[in-house]
Amino acid sequence: LEYLYDNNKLNKLGVTYAFGAGDYAEYLLRADINEKMSYGDIVGIKGGKISKNTDGAEKMMAISFKPIVLGNMPPPNHEHEYEKVAFMGQVPVKVFGKVNIGDYILPSDKNDGLSSAISPSKITSKHIKNIVGIAWTAVDNIYGLNMVNVSVGLNNNDNNPIVEKLEKQISDQEKELNELKDLLT
């Protein structure tokens, strides 16, 4: 592996970062600069500012643990007003309850920075805009708080289960209509 890394570095003339960090993040301003946040918290974005209050948020994201790339540096002496928010990659997230690999991670309804997991088979259209990411680790702890490795920013197919359900429903209804037409004729 080291040989391949050195060979690519010399021959492909690209840049390779090899660190233990797992995401690309940016500093985002807290809506309330006194609100306490820590890595793994779920935050909602409203007008480019973040808060653990996710009601009416435009997007749900997570506070990064240790980003490999960090953008949008705050103005000098204002770092304390910002948080590192994971935009893409793997990030540990605070999840309450049991989690299966592949579950969607959604913010809790309590505006507390926590989240919960929902199976792709139970996802509905109302959930899609609130998806933070997809669980890449499983936890059997039903009643406790867990740190779960979540893939964020890579969820291009979050609506696939819903689209498949709708397609099946349309197909079933079309079949039923055709049967009713046959009965009428």
Side-chain angles (χ1 to χ4, degrees), residues 120-123 160-170:
S121 66
K122 294 182 180 172
I123 197 86
N160 277 355
I162 294 167
V163 170
E164 288 172 5
K165 284 181 198 175
L166 289 173
E167 285 176 345
K168 182 178 181 338
Q169 183 180 3
I170 290 169

Side-chain angles (χ1 to χ4, degrees), residues 83-182:
E83 292 292 338
K84 301 169 193 165
V85 179
F87 273 65
M88 185 171 64
Q90 299 177 53
V91 63
V93 171
K94 297 173 185 172
V95 183
F96 188 83
K98 183 176 177 167
V99 182
N100 293 309
I101 293 172
D103 281 353
Y104 290 110
I105 304 303
L106 303 169
S108 76
D109 295 330
K110 298 176 183 160
N111 297 315
D112 54 5
L114 303 181
S115 65
S116 60
I118 186 169
S119 165
S121 66
K122 294 182 180 172
I123 197 86
T124 67
S125 58
K126 72 176 186 164
H127 294 124
I128 289 180
K129 77 175 195 74
N130 293 330
I131 293 172
V132 176
I134 298 174
W136 278 7
T137 53
V139 179
D140 287 328
N141 183 1
I142 296 172
Y143 301 109
L145 183 62
N146 309 288
M147 291 301 281
V148 175
N149 190 33
V150 174
S151 165
V152 298
L154 304 172
N155 310 323
N156 295 328
N157 300 319
D158 289 336
N159 60 355
N160 277 355
I162 294 167
V163 170
E164 288 172 5
K165 284 181 198 175
L166 289 173
E167 285 176 345
K168 182 178 181 338
Q169 183 180 3
I170 290 169
S171 175
D172 291 347
Q173 288 174 343
E174 184 177 28
K175 182 179 176 184
E176 188 177 339
L177 281 173
N178 286 333
E179 289 172 358
L180 288 171
K181 284 179 185 177
D182 288 344

Side-chain angles (χ1 to χ4, degrees), residues 18-95:
F19 294 97
D23 64 83
Y24 162 81
E26 288 193 12
Y27 278 104
L28 293 182
L29 182 64
R30 281 189 238 104
D32 173 357
I33 61 170
N34 295 312
E35 183 177 14
K36 301 293 181 216
M37 297 178 188
S38 62
Y39 78 87
D41 279 344
I42 301 302
V43 294
I45 298 180
K46 297 175 191 171
K49 295 180 180 175
I50 60 169
S51 173
K52 288 194 277 188
N53 181 347
T54 58
D55 292 339
E58 301 149 7
K59 184 154 181 65
M60 307 300 167
M61 300 180 92
I63 303 296
S64 179
F65 176 52
K66 53 180 184 177
I68 190 168
V69 176
L70 182 58
N72 195 33
M73 191 68 186
N77 302 318
H78 289 273
E79 293 88 354
H80 65 283
E81 300 171 3
Y82 290 72
E83 292 292 338
K84 301 169 193 165
V85 179
F87 273 65
M88 185 171 64
Q90 299 177 53
V91 63
V93 171
K94 297 173 185 172
V95 183

Side-chain angles (χ1 to χ4, degrees), residues 8-27:
N8 283 344
K9 182 174 69 172
L10 294 172
N11 293 328
K12 309 255 188 220
L13 298 177
V15 176
T16 302
Y17 296 101
F19 294 97
D23 64 83
Y24 162 81
E26 288 193 12
Y27 278 104

